[in-house]
């Protein structure tokens, strides 16, 4: 028997990317500088060159039935020197937005996705006391410039991941391992979002402004310590930032990748990066976000799967559990797979392949993967058919 799961009218279906992971040619951000020092893989060496090939990528997205696309603006391009804005780069992103519009694709624009302009990182990045004001000034400027070409905007991508990887685990810039700095940066990001929201609204009240948050499905066995750990992690990782920013949000974007279990392994299969594969966790995270009473978007969910053997089924399961969350009352407006094309997987360089579209890094030839066609059927029909 076939069951058809229908999604709400005008549901957004698409995929995402971020500037430094696909564009190429960004030389004046902190990640590029650390790559030159040999502390990170280069984003440029095998870049998909999306900066020059965005029309080709959007043609592919269109052919795959997408009606939305998430991408980010590179702050270092827009504000290469403090307070000096590069209008040629603003024009570039306007072209990107016009190209989406011409194809009937609704954009979701992330204003900042991990990489910092050099002048900002050199004086301490988000540790600097003026960082929230400086970030809000940039955010309001670019939002004002782009406000006639888009409606959905997110200020910050994954604040807690940024703070954790840069200030506790120490494997992203600025490579620190200091819990006090971690808390300081997390709080600065809260201030930065709240201030940016208010400054954007003054200039562009029409924009729908949110934040993109990576939430982890934490579970435990019955061991009291593990239960405590699970509760603490859920409170801190999933809600510390949102509890302090949701009143300055018109929507929340959820990035879902992880189910972390405290206790003996639950035996989940693993993806190419060794992460547990559990699509059902997205359901728990979406239902959990109902507490904020805001529209929700799945802004990222995806899998590194070079051979594309697990991805087709994983996408269907993610979509099925997203549907179940809608049935159970979550106000979900869209789903954006991560990512449209293979890209620079941050500190892992080009070793991981998340894309619906494979990129041959030597030739930059794009090839649609079978999983992209599975997703296309869902996007085009606005339904998921279960056999
Ligand atoms: C980030 C992306 C990243 C993806 C997969 C998210 O943390 O927003 O930039 O590529 O996860 O690791």
């Amino acid at each position: 028997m076939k069951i058809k799961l229908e999604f709400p009218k005008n549901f957004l279906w698409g995929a995402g990317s971020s500037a430094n992971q696909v564009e190429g040619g960004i030389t004046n951000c902190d990640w590029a500088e650390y790559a030159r020092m040999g502390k990170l893989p280069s984003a440029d060496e095998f870049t998909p060159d999306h900066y020059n090939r965005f029309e080709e990528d959007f043609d592919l997205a269109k052919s795959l039935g997408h009606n939305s696309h998430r991408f980010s603006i590179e702050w270092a391009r827009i504000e290469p020197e403090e307070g000096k804005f590069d209008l040629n780069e603003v024009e570039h992103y306007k072209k990107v937005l016009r190209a989406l519009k011409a194809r009937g694709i609704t954009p979701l624009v992330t204003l900042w996705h991990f990489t910092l302009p050099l002048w900002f990182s050199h004086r301490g990045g988000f540790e600097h006391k003026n960082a929230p004001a400086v970030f809000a000034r940039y955010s309001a400027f670019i939002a004002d410039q782009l406000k006639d070409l888009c409606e959905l905007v997110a200020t910050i991508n994954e604040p807690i991941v940024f703070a954790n990887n840069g200030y506790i685990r120490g494997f992203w810039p600025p490579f620190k391992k200091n819990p006090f700095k971690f808390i300081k940066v997390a709080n600065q990001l809260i201030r930065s979002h709240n201030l940016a929201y208010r400054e954007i609204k003054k200039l562009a009240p029409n924009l729908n402004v949110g934040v993109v948050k990576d939430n982890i499905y934490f579970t435990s066995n019955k061991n009291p310590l593990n239960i405590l750990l699970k509760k603490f992690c859920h409170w801190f990782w999933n809600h510390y930032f949102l509890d302090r920013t949701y009143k300055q949000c018109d929507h929340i974007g959820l990035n879902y990748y992880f189910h972390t279990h405290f206790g003996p392994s639950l035996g989940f299969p693993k993806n190419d990066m060794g992460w547990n594969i559990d699509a059902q966790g997205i359901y728990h995270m979406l239902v959990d976000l109902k507490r904020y009473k805001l529209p929700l978007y799945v802004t990222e969910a995806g899998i590194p799967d070079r051979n594309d053997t697990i991805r087709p089924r994983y996408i269907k399961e993610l979509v099925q559990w997203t549907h179940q969350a809608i049935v159970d009352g979550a106000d979900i407006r869209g789903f954006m797979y991560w990512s449209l094309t293979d890209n620079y997987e941050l500190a892992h360089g080009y070793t991981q392949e998340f894309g619906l579209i494979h990129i041959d890094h030597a030739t930059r030839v794009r090839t649609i993967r079978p999983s992209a066609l599975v997703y296309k059927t869902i996007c085009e029909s606005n339904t998921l058919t279960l056999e």
Side-chain angles (χ1 to χ4, degrees):
M1 201 180 72
K2 282 189 179 174
I3 301 174
K4 271 194 171 187
L5 305 180
E6 303 228 356
F7 281 77
K9 241 180 133 187
N10 302 323
F11 198 78
L12 296 183
W13 292 105
S17 71
S18 89
N20 193 48
Q21 293 181 266
V22 293
E23 284 185 357
I26 303 165
T27 54
N28 60 344
C29 75
D30 55 345
W31 280 67
E33 183 173 67
Y34 282 116
R36 286 192 290 272
M37 286 154 66
K39 288 192 84 167
L40 285 170
S42 158
D44 252 354
E45 199 178 352
F46 301 113
T47 178
D49 190 28
H50 179 75
Y51 188 82
N52 297 305
R53 298 172 197 230
F54 62 89
E55 304 233 25
E56 179 186 347
D57 289 341
F58 296 162
D59 282 342
L60 288 170
K62 178 84 189 150
S63 80
L64 292 172
H66 298 191
N67 65 9
S68 72
H69 182 70
R70 173 173 175 243
F71 71 97
S72 79
I73 309 286
E74 184 61 35
W75 182 3
R77 286 194 192 277
I78 301 299
E79 193 175 357
E81 285 175 56
E82 175 162 20
K84 294 202 174 132
F85 297 106
D86 184 334
L87 295 179
N88 290 328
E89 294 291 1
V90 172
E91 189 49 37
H92 169 78
Y93 289 110
K94 285 187 180 171
K95 272 192 203 140
V96 169
L97 285 166
R98 283 189 209 109
L100 288 170
K101 194 164 189 202
R103 291 164 179 77
I105 299 179
T106 301
L108 192 160
V109 183
T110 312
L111 301 183
W112 173 58
H113 196 123
F114 297 149
T115 47
L116 301 174
L118 282 178
W119 57 266
F120 184 80
S121 71
H122 284 166
R123 66 170 190 216
F126 280 95
E127 285 179 70
H128 193 278
K129 64 177 184 331
N130 286 340
V134 169
F135 177 73
R137 181 183 58 194
Y138 152 71
S139 299
F141 169 79
I142 190 66
D144 185 38
Q145 291 287 320
L146 304 181
K147 69 182 175 203
D148 297 333
L149 295 165
C150 60
E151 273 173 34
L152 282 172
V153 165
T155 54
I156 298 179
N157 178 70
E158 297 192 347
I160 301 298
V161 171
F162 171 83
N164 186 44
N165 288 349
Y167 294 87
I168 289 211
R169 297 177 72 189
F171 73 99
W172 284 6
F175 302 100
K176 295 186 178 164
K177 291 185 180 178
N178 181 332
F180 298 107
K181 295 203 167 188
F182 164 74
I183 290 290
K184 182 175 180 185
V185 168
N187 287 327
Q188 284 282 76
L189 293 172
I190 287 166
R191 286 182 207 112
S192 300
H193 167 82
N194 287 338
L195 197 55
Y197 179 91
R198 288 195 289 269
E199 295 298 318
I200 293 170
K201 288 287 176 166
K202 280 186 202 160
L203 298 176
N206 66 310
L207 289 180
N208 187 304
V209 183
V211 75
V212 170
K213 190 62 191 52
D214 154 277
N215 280 6
I216 297 177
Y217 181 38
F218 294 103
T219 54
S220 75
N221 65 355
K222 293 209 167 84
N223 176 317
L225 260 182
N226 286 338
I227 294 177
L228 211 65
L229 211 54
K230 168 189 79 177
K231 287 193 173 154
F232 173 78
C233 288
H234 181 64
W235 166 74
F236 185 78
W237 190 277
N238 294 341
H239 293 295
Y240 184 83
F241 184 91
L242 286 175
D243 283 348
R244 289 159 180 78
T245 52
Y246 79 97
K247 288 186 185 147
Q248 273 76 237
C249 280
D250 303 322
H251 69 267
I252 295 171
L254 169 73
N255 290 0
Y256 172 74
Y257 291 98
F258 298 112
H259 176 170
T260 298
H261 182 71
F262 298 107
S265 158
L266 295 179
F268 286 113
K270 309 278 183 197
N271 66 30
D272 288 354
M273 289 175 82
W275 302 345
N276 286 340
I277 301 175
D278 176 32
Q280 189 176 352
I282 200 171
Y283 166 80
H284 297 288
M285 296 298 87
L286 287 165
V287 168
D288 180 60
L289 288 173
K290 273 165 61 177
R291 66 174 78 179
Y292 296 113
K293 299 190 169 49
L294 287 168
L296 304 173
Y297 293 85
V298 175
T299 34
E300 284 183 36
I303 185 166
D305 180 30
R306 172 167 300 106
N307 298 324
D308 205 41
T309 45
I310 305 169
R311 189 179 289 109
R313 180 155 156 221
Y314 187 63
I315 290 180
K316 281 185 169 177
E317 288 179 356
L318 287 169
V319 168
Q320 185 182 344
W321 285 113
T322 300
H323 186 271
Q324 190 58 46
I326 296 174
V327 170
D328 292 339
D331 179 8
I332 304 166
R333 309 279 177 96
F335 181 99
M336 286 158 217
Y337 176 82
W338 183 269
S339 49
L340 179 62
T341 63
D342 289 341
N343 60 41
Y344 174 74
E345 178 47 23
L346 308 165
H348 300 277
Y350 287 95
T351 60
Q352 300 302 322
E353 302 185 7
F354 281 78
L356 293 172
I357 298 168
H358 170 265
I359 296 199
D360 178 323
H361 294 304
T363 60
R364 295 189 181 131
V365 168
R366 276 92 162 127
T367 309
I368 290 172
R369 288 197 160 101
S371 53
L373 301 176
V374 169
Y375 187 50
K376 172 179 168 147
T377 309
I378 298 168
C379 300
E380 284 184 345
S381 61
N382 201 31
T383 57
L384 171 68
T385 306
L386 300 175
E387 308 283 336

mmCIF file of all heavy atoms in Angstrom, residues 142-175:
data_model
loop_
_atom_site.group_PDB
_atom_site.id
_atom_site.type_symbol
_atom_site.label_atom_id
_atom_site.label_comp_id
_atom_site.label_asym_id
_atom_site.label_seq_id
_atom_site.Cartn_x
_atom_site.Cartn_y
_atom_site.Cartn_z
ATOM 1 N N ILE A 142 24.295 45.338 5.295
ATOM 2 C CA ILE A 142 24.073 44.412 4.175
ATOM 3 C C ILE A 142 22.584 44.072 4.050
ATOM 4 O O ILE A 142 22.055 43.942 2.931
ATOM 5 C CB ILE A 142 24.981 43.150 4.281
ATOM 6 C CG1 ILE A 142 24.926 42.330 2.995
ATOM 7 C CG2 ILE A 142 24.666 42.282 5.482
ATOM 8 C CD1 ILE A 142 25.515 43.002 1.789
ATOM 9 N N ALA A 143 21.897 43.977 5.171
ATOM 10 C CA ALA A 143 20.455 43.681 5.111
ATOM 11 C C ALA A 143 19.722 44.814 4.392
ATOM 12 O O ALA A 143 18.836 44.576 3.557
ATOM 13 C CB ALA A 143 19.904 43.490 6.522
ATOM 14 N N ASP A 144 20.118 46.039 4.693
ATOM 15 C CA ASP A 144 19.496 47.196 4.044
ATOM 16 C C ASP A 144 19.750 47.173 2.532
ATOM 17 O O ASP A 144 18.865 47.454 1.726
ATOM 18 C CB ASP A 144 20.077 48.473 4.677
ATOM 19 C CG ASP A 144 19.400 49.718 4.148
ATOM 20 O OD1 ASP A 144 18.172 49.673 3.931
ATOM 21 O OD2 ASP A 144 20.098 50.728 3.941
ATOM 22 N N GLN A 145 20.969 46.801 2.153
ATOM 23 C CA GLN A 145 21.320 46.742 0.727
ATOM 24 C C GLN A 145 20.506 45.673 -0.018
ATOM 25 O O GLN A 145 20.175 45.852 -1.182
ATOM 26 C CB GLN A 145 22.812 46.411 0.572
ATOM 27 C CG GLN A 145 23.744 47.509 1.019
ATOM 28 C CD GLN A 145 23.751 48.680 0.050
ATOM 29 O OE1 GLN A 145 23.727 48.500 -1.158
ATOM 30 N NE2 GLN A 145 23.742 49.890 0.585
ATOM 31 N N LEU A 146 20.219 44.575 0.670
ATOM 32 C CA LEU A 146 19.604 43.426 -0.017
ATOM 33 C C LEU A 146 18.098 43.311 0.209
ATOM 34 O O LEU A 146 17.451 42.424 -0.339
ATOM 35 C CB LEU A 146 20.289 42.120 0.429
ATOM 36 C CG LEU A 146 21.815 42.048 0.243
ATOM 37 C CD1 LEU A 146 22.348 40.691 0.692
ATOM 38 C CD2 LEU A 146 22.229 42.319 -1.209
ATOM 39 N N LYS A 147 17.551 44.234 0.991
ATOM 40 C CA LYS A 147 16.170 44.050 1.477
ATOM 41 C C LYS A 147 15.118 43.972 0.379
ATOM 42 O O LYS A 147 14.044 43.409 0.597
ATOM 43 C CB LYS A 147 15.813 45.144 2.484
ATOM 44 C CG LYS A 147 15.682 46.515 1.862
ATOM 45 C CD LYS A 147 15.379 47.556 2.910
ATOM 46 C CE LYS A 147 15.379 48.917 2.245
ATOM 47 N NZ LYS A 147 15.624 50.021 3.147
ATOM 48 N N ASP A 148 15.385 44.543 -0.798
ATOM 49 C CA ASP A 148 14.370 44.473 -1.849
ATOM 50 C C ASP A 148 14.434 43.164 -2.633
ATOM 51 O O ASP A 148 13.587 42.914 -3.490
ATOM 52 C CB ASP A 148 14.550 45.644 -2.830
ATOM 53 C CG ASP A 148 14.332 46.972 -2.124
ATOM 54 O OD1 ASP A 148 13.580 46.973 -1.117
ATOM 55 O OD2 ASP A 148 14.933 47.981 -2.541
ATOM 56 N N LEU A 149 15.446 42.362 -2.347
ATOM 57 C CA LEU A 149 15.641 41.141 -3.143
ATOM 58 C C LEU A 149 15.453 39.851 -2.345
ATOM 59 O O LEU A 149 15.611 38.758 -2.872
ATOM 60 C CB LEU A 149 17.048 41.142 -3.758
ATOM 61 C CG LEU A 149 17.298 42.254 -4.790
ATOM 62 C CD1 LEU A 149 18.790 42.413 -5.052
ATOM 63 C CD2 LEU A 149 16.557 41.931 -6.075
ATOM 64 N N CYS A 150 15.193 40.008 -1.042
ATOM 65 C CA CYS A 150 14.969 38.791 -0.240
ATOM 66 C C CYS A 150 14.084 39.133 0.955
ATOM 67 O O CYS A 150 13.873 40.310 1.260
ATOM 68 C CB CYS A 150 16.305 38.231 0.251
ATOM 69 S SG CYS A 150 17.245 39.339 1.287
ATOM 70 N N GLU A 151 13.560 38.093 1.588
ATOM 71 C CA GLU A 151 12.744 38.320 2.791
ATOM 72 C C GLU A 151 13.298 37.590 4.000
ATOM 73 O O GLU A 151 13.227 38.081 5.118
ATOM 74 C CB GLU A 151 11.314 37.830 2.553
ATOM 75 C CG GLU A 151 10.433 38.873 1.916
ATOM 76 C CD GLU A 151 9.082 38.336 1.533
ATOM 77 O OE1 GLU A 151 8.564 37.454 2.260
ATOM 78 O OE2 GLU A 151 8.562 38.776 0.496
ATOM 79 N N LEU A 152 13.847 36.395 3.749
ATOM 80 C CA LEU A 152 14.299 35.559 4.868
ATOM 81 C C LEU A 152 15.790 35.730 5.099
ATOM 82 O O LEU A 152 16.599 35.490 4.198
ATOM 83 C CB LEU A 152 14.064 34.087 4.541
ATOM 84 C CG LEU A 152 12.659 33.536 4.673
ATOM 85 C CD1 LEU A 152 12.612 32.107 4.113
ATOM 86 C CD2 LEU A 152 12.231 33.534 6.134
ATOM 87 N N VAL A 153 16.129 36.124 6.321
ATOM 88 C CA VAL A 153 17.524 36.391 6.648
ATOM 89 C C VAL A 153 17.850 35.724 7.986
ATOM 90 O O VAL A 153 17.031 35.727 8.900
ATOM 91 C CB VAL A 153 17.740 37.923 6.762
ATOM 92 C CG1 VAL A 153 19.051 38.245 7.436
ATOM 93 C CG2 VAL A 153 17.689 38.568 5.383
ATOM 94 N N ALA A 154 19.042 35.141 8.098
ATOM 95 C CA ALA A 154 19.512 34.632 9.399
ATOM 96 C C ALA A 154 20.787 35.379 9.752
ATOM 97 O O ALA A 154 21.666 35.549 8.903
ATOM 98 C CB ALA A 154 19.787 33.135 9.324
ATOM 99 N N THR A 155 20.891 35.831 10.981
ATOM 100 C CA THR A 155 22.083 36.588 11.371
ATOM 101 C C THR A 155 23.316 35.693 11.468
ATOM 102 O O THR A 155 24.340 35.953 10.840
ATOM 103 C CB THR A 155 21.877 37.249 12.746
ATOM 104 O OG1 THR A 155 21.497 36.218 13.665
ATOM 105 C CG2 THR A 155 20.828 38.338 12.700
ATOM 106 N N ILE A 156 23.198 34.636 12.294
ATOM 107 C CA ILE A 156 24.379 33.833 12.661
ATOM 108 C C ILE A 156 24.113 32.365 12.379
ATOM 109 O O ILE A 156 23.031 31.859 12.681
ATOM 110 C CB ILE A 156 24.668 34.001 14.181
ATOM 111 C CG1 ILE A 156 24.994 35.461 14.510
ATOM 112 C CG2 ILE A 156 25.806 33.084 14.636
ATOM 113 C CD1 ILE A 156 25.266 35.728 16.000
ATOM 114 N N ASN A 157 25.103 31.683 11.826
ATOM 115 C CA ASN A 157 25.009 30.232 11.670
ATOM 116 C C ASN A 157 25.699 29.534 12.841
ATOM 117 O O ASN A 157 26.881 29.765 13.103
ATOM 118 C CB ASN A 157 25.689 29.797 10.372
ATOM 119 C CG ASN A 157 25.645 28.283 10.201
ATOM 120 O OD1 ASN A 157 24.577 27.722 9.955
ATOM 121 N ND2 ASN A 157 26.779 27.608 10.352
ATOM 122 N N GLU A 158 24.971 28.706 13.536
ATOM 123 C CA GLU A 158 25.503 27.799 14.563
ATOM 124 C C GLU A 158 26.451 28.461 15.568
ATOM 125 O O GLU A 158 27.643 28.135 15.642
ATOM 126 C CB GLU A 158 26.219 26.620 13.895
ATOM 127 C CG GLU A 158 25.309 25.768 13.052
ATOM 128 C CD GLU A 158 25.944 24.447 12.626
ATOM 129 O OE1 GLU A 158 27.169 24.314 12.777
ATOM 130 O OE2 GLU A 158 25.224 23.572 12.167
ATOM 131 N N PRO A 159 25.925 29.398 16.376
ATOM 132 C CA PRO A 159 26.789 30.097 17.340
ATOM 133 C C PRO A 159 27.518 29.181 18.314
ATOM 134 O O PRO A 159 28.708 29.403 18.608
ATOM 135 C CB PRO A 159 25.798 31.011 18.096
ATOM 136 C CG PRO A 159 24.436 30.467 17.790
ATOM 137 C CD PRO A 159 24.526 29.848 16.438
ATOM 138 N N ILE A 160 26.843 28.161 18.814
ATOM 139 C CA ILE A 160 27.491 27.322 19.845
ATOM 140 C C ILE A 160 28.554 26.413 19.216
ATOM 141 O O ILE A 160 29.601 26.155 19.816
ATOM 142 C CB ILE A 160 26.429 26.506 20.635
ATOM 143 C CG1 ILE A 160 25.429 27.468 21.320
ATOM 144 C CG2 ILE A 160 27.069 25.596 21.674
ATOM 145 C CD1 ILE A 160 26.046 28.409 22.364
ATOM 146 N N VAL A 161 28.313 25.973 17.990
ATOM 147 C CA VAL A 161 29.336 25.183 17.292
ATOM 148 C C VAL A 161 30.583 26.043 17.065
ATOM 149 O O VAL A 161 31.717 25.615 17.294
ATOM 150 C CB VAL A 161 28.793 24.673 15.926
ATOM 151 C CG1 VAL A 161 29.904 24.034 15.095
ATOM 152 C CG2 VAL A 161 27.664 23.677 16.151
ATOM 153 N N PHE A 162 30.362 27.286 16.635
ATOM 154 C CA PHE A 162 31.479 28.218 16.411
ATOM 155 C C PHE A 162 32.295 28.381 17.699
ATOM 156 O O PHE A 162 33.523 28.251 17.704
ATOM 157 C CB PHE A 162 30.921 29.573 15.950
ATOM 158 C CG PHE A 162 31.943 30.664 15.895
ATOM 159 C CD1 PHE A 162 32.772 30.804 14.789
ATOM 160 C CD2 PHE A 162 32.089 31.559 16.953
ATOM 161 C CE1 PHE A 162 33.741 31.816 14.735
ATOM 162 C CE2 PHE A 162 33.037 32.567 16.908
ATOM 163 C CZ PHE A 162 33.861 32.702 15.787
ATOM 164 N N ALA A 163 31.589 28.651 18.813
ATOM 165 C CA ALA A 163 32.287 28.884 20.083
ATOM 166 C C ALA A 163 32.975 27.604 20.567
ATOM 167 O O ALA A 163 34.107 27.634 21.065
ATOM 168 C CB ALA A 163 31.304 29.406 21.131
ATOM 169 N N ASN A 164 32.319 26.492 20.414
ATOM 170 C CA ASN A 164 32.864 25.217 20.882
ATOM 171 C C ASN A 164 34.113 24.807 20.091
ATOM 172 O O ASN A 164 35.154 24.484 20.660
ATOM 173 C CB ASN A 164 31.772 24.142 20.752
ATOM 174 C CG ASN A 164 32.189 22.816 21.344
ATOM 175 O OD1 ASN A 164 32.754 22.759 22.428
ATOM 176 N ND2 ASN A 164 31.925 21.734 20.636
ATOM 177 N N ASN A 165 34.016 24.851 18.772
ATOM 178 C CA ASN A 165 35.151 24.397 17.954
ATOM 179 C C ASN A 165 36.337 25.358 18.007
ATOM 180 O O ASN A 165 37.481 24.937 17.885
ATOM 181 C CB ASN A 165 34.713 24.187 16.496
ATOM 182 C CG ASN A 165 33.843 22.953 16.351
ATOM 183 O OD1 ASN A 165 33.738 22.153 17.276
ATOM 184 N ND2 ASN A 165 33.198 22.798 15.210
ATOM 185 N N GLY A 166 36.050 26.638 18.207
ATOM 186 C CA GLY A 166 37.131 27.634 18.226
ATOM 187 C C GLY A 166 37.726 27.879 19.591
ATOM 188 O O GLY A 166 38.880 28.302 19.709
ATOM 189 N N TYR A 167 36.944 27.611 20.667
ATOM 190 C CA TYR A 167 37.397 28.017 22.004
ATOM 191 C C TYR A 167 37.448 26.883 23.026
ATOM 192 O O TYR A 167 37.924 27.069 24.134
ATOM 193 C CB TYR A 167 36.517 29.147 22.544
ATOM 194 C CG TYR A 167 36.683 30.414 21.727
ATOM 195 C CD1 TYR A 167 35.912 30.633 20.580
ATOM 196 C CD2 TYR A 167 37.655 31.359 22.062
ATOM 197 C CE1 TYR A 167 36.084 31.779 19.806
ATOM 198 C CE2 TYR A 167 37.836 32.501 21.301
ATOM 199 C CZ TYR A 167 37.054 32.704 20.175
ATOM 200 O OH TYR A 167 37.241 33.829 19.415
ATOM 201 N N ILE A 168 36.904 25.673 22.681
ATOM 202 C CA ILE A 168 37.030 24.553 23.617
ATOM 203 C C ILE A 168 37.795 23.403 22.953
ATOM 204 O O ILE A 168 38.829 22.969 23.423
ATOM 205 C CB ILE A 168 35.657 24.061 24.109
ATOM 206 C CG1 ILE A 168 35.065 25.102 25.053
ATOM 207 C CG2 ILE A 168 35.801 22.706 24.819
ATOM 208 C CD1 ILE A 168 34.186 24.571 26.136
ATOM 209 N N ARG A 169 37.285 22.980 21.795
ATOM 210 C CA ARG A 169 37.967 21.867 21.121
ATOM 211 C C ARG A 169 39.245 22.355 20.422
ATOM 212 O O ARG A 169 40.155 21.581 20.186
ATOM 213 C CB ARG A 169 37.020 21.201 20.125
ATOM 214 C CG ARG A 169 35.816 20.594 20.846
ATOM 215 C CD ARG A 169 34.833 19.993 19.877
ATOM 216 N NE ARG A 169 35.329 18.754 19.291
ATOM 217 C CZ ARG A 169 34.732 18.133 18.282
ATOM 218 N NH1 ARG A 169 33.634 18.618 17.755
ATOM 219 N NH2 ARG A 169 35.227 17.016 17.788
ATOM 220 N N GLY A 170 39.235 23.636 20.064
ATOM 221 C CA GLY A 170 40.464 24.230 19.524
ATOM 222 C C GLY A 170 40.885 23.712 18.163
ATOM 223 O O GLY A 170 42.069 23.725 17.845
ATOM 224 N N PHE A 171 39.951 23.277 17.349
ATOM 225 C CA PHE A 171 40.402 22.874 16.015
ATOM 226 C C PHE A 171 39.857 23.742 14.884
ATOM 227 O O PHE A 171 40.056 23.451 13.720
ATOM 228 C CB PHE A 171 40.193 21.363 15.763
ATOM 229 C CG PHE A 171 38.786 20.919 15.555
ATOM 230 C CD1 PHE A 171 38.298 20.722 14.269
ATOM 231 C CD2 PHE A 171 37.960 20.655 16.627
ATOM 232 C CE1 PHE A 171 36.996 20.290 14.060
ATOM 233 C CE2 PHE A 171 36.661 20.226 16.438
ATOM 234 C CZ PHE A 171 36.185 20.040 15.161
ATOM 235 N N TRP A 172 39.215 24.841 15.242
ATOM 236 C CA TRP A 172 38.863 25.897 14.287
ATOM 237 C C TRP A 172 39.492 27.197 14.790
ATOM 238 O O TRP A 172 39.767 27.325 15.987
ATOM 239 C CB TRP A 172 37.340 26.106 14.239
ATOM 240 C CG TRP A 172 36.551 25.078 13.491
ATOM 241 C CD1 TRP A 172 36.986 23.903 12.938
ATOM 242 C CD2 TRP A 172 35.146 25.148 13.226
ATOM 243 N NE1 TRP A 172 35.931 23.241 12.354
ATOM 244 C CE2 TRP A 172 34.798 23.977 12.512
ATOM 245 C CE3 TRP A 172 34.143 26.076 13.527
ATOM 246 C CZ2 TRP A 172 33.489 23.723 12.093
ATOM 247 C CZ3 TRP A 172 32.840 25.818 13.112
ATOM 248 C CH2 TRP A 172 32.521 24.656 12.393
ATOM 249 N N PRO A 173 39.643 28.172 13.898
ATOM 250 C CA PRO A 173 40.132 29.468 14.364
ATOM 251 C C PRO A 173 39.266 29.967 15.515
ATOM 252 O O PRO A 173 38.053 29.779 15.458
ATOM 253 C CB PRO A 173 39.962 30.381 13.141
ATOM 254 C CG PRO A 173 39.977 29.441 11.968
ATOM 255 C CD PRO A 173 39.374 28.164 12.461
ATOM 256 N N PRO A 174 39.845 30.574 16.549
ATOM 257 C CA PRO A 174 41.267 30.894 16.720
ATOM 258 C C PRO A 174 42.051 29.829 17.493
ATOM 259 O O PRO A 174 43.066 30.174 18.117
ATOM 260 C CB PRO A 174 41.207 32.209 17.500
ATOM 261 C CG PRO A 174 39.973 32.081 18.343
ATOM 262 C CD PRO A 174 38.992 31.227 17.579
ATOM 263 N N PHE A 175 41.619 28.565 17.433
ATOM 264 C CA PHE A 175 42.383 27.421 17.974
ATOM 265 C C PHE A 175 42.674 27.559 19.472
ATOM 266 O O PHE A 175 43.777 27.311 19.920
ATOM 267 C CB PHE A 175 43.699 27.235 17.197
ATOM 268 C CG PHE A 175 43.485 27.014 15.726
ATOM 269 C CD1 PHE A 175 43.654 28.056 14.818
ATOM 270 C CD2 PHE A 175 43.078 25.782 15.242
ATOM 271 C CE1 PHE A 175 43.439 27.868 13.467
ATOM 272 C CE2 PHE A 175 42.861 25.585 13.880
ATOM 273 C CZ PHE A 175 43.041 26.628 12.994
#
